[in-house]
Amino acid sequence: TGLFNAEFTIESEINIQLKVYSALGKLVYETEKLNHYGEFKHLIDLTNHPTGIYYVKLKFGSEFYFTKLLKN
């Protein structure tokens, strides 16, 4: 459907940045939460984007994490 949930718990107050890129490297989604603490829940809506692989870049303070999404 193109809807994805991002859910995690943060144990200390930090800035969170979530970006989603297409397979071609184009930024298609972005959100940022400043000084966040506790449970983080966010719905990523890619319904207006084509099927394929998307790359997620999460930044927690100064740490980066990467993962993939597959939209069928």
Side-chain angles (χ1 to χ4, degrees), residues 17-30 46 53-58 66-67 69:
Q17 189 178 67
L18 185 150
K19 294 182 178 184
V20 180
Y21 296 89
S22 71
L24 299 175
K26 179 183 175 189
L27 180 65
V28 296
Y29 189 88
E30 179 178 23
L46 300 178
I53 296 174
Y54 291 84
Y55 298 94
V56 179
K57 178 181 169 184
L58 291 167
F66 301 91
T67 190
L69 296 176

Side-chain angles (χ1 to χ4, degrees), residues 17-72:
Q17 189 178 67
L18 185 150
K19 294 182 178 184
V20 180
Y21 296 89
S22 71
L24 299 175
K26 179 183 175 189
L27 180 65
V28 296
Y29 189 88
E30 179 178 23
T31 189
E32 186 173 17
K33 302 291 182 189
L34 301 177
N35 301 318
H36 188 81
Y37 173 78
E39 195 170 300
F40 177 90
K41 290 185 178 183
H42 194 79
L43 181 66
I44 301 169
D45 185 355
L46 300 178
T47 55
N48 293 328
H49 297 281
T51 59
I53 296 174
Y54 291 84
Y55 298 94
V56 179
K57 178 181 169 184
L58 291 167
K59 181 180 180 191
F60 299 102
S62 61
E63 296 182 28
F64 290 90
Y65 298 90
F66 301 91
T67 190
K68 288 191 268 185
L69 296 176
L70 177 60
K71 181 182 175 192
N72 292 327

